[in-house]
Amino acid sequence: MKLLQDIPISVLDLAPIVEGGTAADSLHNALDLARHAEQWGYHRYWLAEHHNMPGIASSATSLVIGHVASGTRTIRVGSGGIMLSNHAPLVIAEQFGTLESLYPGRIDLGLGRAPGSDQPASRALRRGLGSDGSEFPEQLSELRAYFDPGAGSSRPPGVRAIPGEGLNVPIWLLGSSGFSAKLAGQLGLPFAFASHFAPDYLLPALHLYRSSFQPSEHLDKPHVMVGLGITAAETVEEARKLATSQQQQFLNIIRGRTGKLQPPVDSLEGLWSPQEKAILQDKLQYSISGDKATVHARLQQILTDTDADEFIIASQIYDHEARLRSYKLAVEAIKGELVS
């Protein structure tokens, strides 16, 4: 039986741009959070690719990974994830080969097959090529071949990724449904599930991944990371208020809107309809808000339900100092000890 205090925990940073703030502020805060996370014992620091979203600053994900890696020393830094359908596999191999060459032994490449954007941005990124994600396995095979000099049949003849070729850049598949879960299992790759925004399929996806797993040179047994939203504070009441920024963000998504992360409010009553409230509560099943005792109890329940090997935490909190405090309290809740 796994013990909560033995589970590695990581940071998923959506690089939020807050109302009244700028992308420059967000990128400065990302590095500050990463330095604190490294000090507090977090295992990985992942950044997500999104486009055409006024509230997210990590669209040039590889560049932000380099920014964070350059300002830290030991924490692993990577993508959670790169949306491979937006890129030529050669470009990603070269980018992450460069990152691994600069920061050896610290770079992760998490891959998703969703666009991470709306349709106009998707068309702009792909120049009208069109993609529904079905080509992801082929793209993945080509990408992996650039890192492995012995896998030439999956890449164009005579094309090499320099830097990239021969480097060990761990590849993770990310998903919110069964497609990537099954593919990760068949390829023997680690799998991360986005339960912080797609909770309903978490347990079926983990079952599919584990039941389809084939040992590989990378893994001899399945390895699962579960994504969670956590808003922690000294009191339950404070945490619940801080969490209203995340709730407002999801409410806007339900309504088809985008925007910057909003300040917290005392209550969302009057801001959402009963139907929207029900949808939001369903979407946020794996988002925890509370004090350390509340966070610890819920995490223990999730560990029992999922048998996760790692947790990765996204915290959409308006105030940077409150966000730092939340991540500090979260690690204390998990490890059962104070961190300085």
Side-chain angles (χ1 to χ4, degrees):
M1 180 180 176
K2 294 171 183 171
L3 300 176
L4 184 59
Q5 61 264 34
D6 296 331
I7 300 297
I9 54 168
S10 300
V11 174
L12 175 60
D13 187 4
L14 302 181
I17 304 174
V18 304
E19 187 65 45
T22 66
D25 296 330
S26 174
L27 297 173
H28 171 80
N29 289 340
L31 180 54
D32 187 54
L33 174 57
R35 286 170 169 163
H36 282 89
E38 181 176 75
Q39 176 185 340
W40 296 330
Y42 280 87
H43 186 45
R44 311 177 194 275
Y45 195 98
W46 282 7
L47 293 133
E49 177 187 351
H50 294 280
H51 299 279
N52 203 27
M53 295 188 181
I56 296 178
S58 53
S59 55
T61 315
S62 299
L63 291 178
V64 187
I65 290 170
H67 167 62
V68 169
S70 70
T72 52
R73 295 181 299 128
T74 58
I75 194 169
R76 298 193 65 88
V77 188
S79 58
I82 289 288
M83 301 298 109
L84 192 53
S85 60
N86 294 335
H87 309 277
L90 175 61
V91 171
I92 298 304
E94 291 172 338
Q95 289 177 358
F96 278 77
T98 300
L99 288 167
E100 176 64 22
S101 298
L102 290 169
Y103 313 104
R106 294 180 56 205
I107 301 299
D108 295 326
L109 176 49
L111 298 168
R113 69 185 187 102
S117 61
D118 55 20
Q119 289 187 352
S122 294
R123 285 194 293 270
L125 285 163
R126 302 171 194 164
R127 295 301 181 201
L129 294 177
S131 171
D132 60 3
S134 60
E135 78 289 357
F136 181 75
E138 182 180 348
Q139 288 184 305
L140 175 61
S141 179
E142 181 182 342
L143 173 60
R144 297 178 72 196
Y146 288 123
F147 289 117
D148 181 0
S153 61
S154 298
R155 55 184 172 153
V159 179
R160 300 164 64 190
I162 310 294
E165 186 175 277
L167 296 180
N168 178 25
V169 180
I171 291 177
W172 290 68
L173 295 195
L174 283 56
S176 56
S177 66
F179 185 96
S180 291
K182 186 174 182 179
L183 183 61
Q186 292 170 337
L187 297 176
L189 295 174
F191 177 62
F193 190 86
S195 37
H196 57 290
F197 68 80
D200 291 335
Y201 204 73
L202 170 62
L203 297 181
L206 296 190
H207 174 74
L208 182 59
Y209 168 64
R210 288 169 173 144
S211 63
S212 62
F213 185 84
Q214 299 293 321
S216 70
E217 60 180 311
H218 308 286
L219 286 177
D220 59 1
K221 61 182 180 179
H223 189 94
V224 165
M225 180 154 60
V226 171
L228 305 169
I230 294 184
T231 303
E234 297 292 350
T235 66
V236 172
E237 293 74 18
E238 181 186 0
R240 287 177 177 168
K241 180 172 181 177
L242 292 174
T244 60
S245 294
Q246 179 196 28
Q247 292 167 347
Q248 291 176 80
Q249 185 178 52
F250 271 83
L251 185 59
N252 282 332
I253 292 172
I254 292 171
R255 293 172 174 175
R257 302 174 185 170
T258 59
K260 295 183 176 182
L261 189 67
Q262 296 299 305
V265 294
D266 290 330
S267 172
L268 265 69
E269 295 303 326
L271 299 179
W272 55 13
S273 69
Q275 182 183 17
E276 288 172 335
K277 181 178 180 180
I279 294 171
L280 211 64
Q281 289 175 336
D282 178 70
K283 285 287 187 184
L284 297 178
Q285 291 177 51
Y286 289 96
S287 288
I288 309 164
S289 61
D291 57 12
K292 286 199 295 186
T294 303
V295 172
H296 178 91
R298 178 65 175 133
L299 284 173
Q300 185 61 65
Q301 181 183 0
I302 293 171
L303 178 59
T304 300
D305 293 342
T306 63
D307 195 31
D309 300 293
E310 299 188 33
F311 288 134
I312 190 164
I313 299 168
S315 296
Q316 294 291 86
I317 296 173
Y318 178 83
D319 178 74
H320 180 60
E321 292 302 319
R323 193 169 184 234
L324 290 177
R325 184 64 178 161
S326 178
Y327 274 106
K328 184 173 185 286
L329 291 171
V331 75
E332 291 177 353
I334 293 170
K335 301 302 181 183
E337 58 188 31
L338 299 178
V339 296
S340 58

